[in-house]
Amino acid sequence: MGSDGPFSVRDERPVHSVTIRKAFWIGKFPVTQEQFEAVSGKNPSFFKGGKLPVDNISWNLCQEFCRELSSRNAGWFRVPTEAEWEFACRSGNSSEFFWGDSLNGDYFWYSYNSSGETQEVGLKKPNAWGIHDMLGNVWEWCKDFYSEDYYMESPETDPVCLRDKIRLGMKVKRGGSWQEPADRCRCGSRGRANPEFMTRDTGFRLIFEELA
């Protein structure tokens, strides 16, 4: 977990090993607008299109969506922890991007190839585990509070930052977006935002936990 490559910044270091003990299912795509609307009855997105990822969604609003979807199913839907997200994104790879260290626009939408907007999910090549759009297109909310120093202090097993120790109130988002340069769309790159903010470059992806 993390990065010490040429584009890495302080909050991505040090690179360290993490153990995730519990299996989980993660969405093949970020949540689309048609999926979000089918559950919530609304579509807050700036860019409109059923197959586009839902955008302009706050962390708080995606929590409401997860609670509603969970109430209809025999299991629990939520956003991933940072560790779960990075584990799924890397898909067994330790390089800067999940396909290697060289830039390759066949795998992600970013500022150079997105035409200045979100794009339909699944059009770019997936990672080694068949998961699409984990880099670029939209930032994806995570469960953790943001801490610049968390990688230096995080536990080795099931890490998740649930304590807002410096009281910034920021939640983590991962993966970069359609408007970011390639160096912000790396596996180890970390973003942050107020959980109430709604921006046209941020959406989310679901994790599903089966009931015991």
Side-chain angles (χ1 to χ4, degrees):
M1 192 171 182
S3 174
D4 58 5
F7 298 107
S8 68
V9 296
R10 184 177 183 273
D11 70 353
E12 301 170 24
R13 308 182 197 124
V15 175
H16 58 291
S17 296
V18 164
T19 298
I20 298 172
R21 292 177 296 178
K22 188 174 181 181
F24 59 87
W25 298 94
I26 190 165
K28 185 176 180 179
F29 310 110
V31 173
T32 64
Q33 293 177 33
E34 64 184 8
Q35 290 172 329
F36 191 87
E37 192 166 0
V39 173
S40 68
K42 52 192 174 185
N43 183 1
S45 301
F46 179 84
F47 302 107
K48 298 296 185 183
K51 301 297 184 184
L52 297 177
V54 65
D55 69 77
N56 202 36
I57 184 169
S58 68
W59 188 90
N60 291 335
L61 188 56
C62 76
Q63 302 310 300
E64 293 178 15
F65 177 89
C66 289
R67 287 192 291 270
E68 174 59 30
L69 187 58
S70 297
S71 72
R72 306 181 185 186
N73 292 274
W76 178 248
F77 289 90
R78 59 174 176 82
V79 295
T81 67
E82 270 202 271
E84 291 168 333
W85 187 96
E86 191 167 331
F87 175 73
C89 178
R90 290 189 176 281
S91 56
N93 199 322
S94 60
S95 55
E96 288 295 294
F97 307 99
F98 59 72
W99 59 85
D101 289 320
S102 300
L103 182 63
N104 190 334
D106 291 342
Y107 289 92
F108 72 129
W109 298 108
Y110 67 115
S111 59
Y112 182 77
N113 66 1
S114 68
S115 300
E117 58 188 353
T118 58
Q119 299 291 327
E120 287 190 12
V121 301
L123 296 182
K124 293 295 187 179
K125 292 180 179 179
N127 69 11
W129 294 347
I131 310 171
H132 293 259
D133 297 291
M134 290 215 73
L135 298 180
N137 217 353
V138 288
W139 285 99
E140 299 179 8
W141 287 113
C142 290
K143 185 176 182 178
D144 305 57
F145 277 106
Y146 174 79
S147 170
E148 184 180 62
D149 298 328
Y150 188 61
Y151 274 24
M152 300 178 184
E153 305 170 352
S154 62
E156 294 180 356
T157 302
D158 299 327
V160 54
C161 186
L162 297 177
R163 183 170 61 93
D164 187 16
K165 66 175 185 177
I166 51 179
R167 299 184 181 180
L168 290 177
M170 300 288 188
K171 287 290 187 176
V172 172
K173 55 183 185 176
R174 288 298 212 105
S177 77
W178 58 268
Q179 67 176 356
E180 299 289 352
D183 64 281
R184 290 290 287 152
C185 300
R186 295 172 294 107
C187 297
S189 181
R190 306 172 71 204
R192 61 192 184 274
N194 186 300
E196 296 181 356
F197 283 3
M198 302 171 71
T199 59
R200 66 186 69 176
D201 67 347
T202 303
F204 69 109
R205 187 183 302 261
L206 291 173
I207 270 188
F208 177 71
E209 292 183 353
E210 295 178 306
L211 295 176

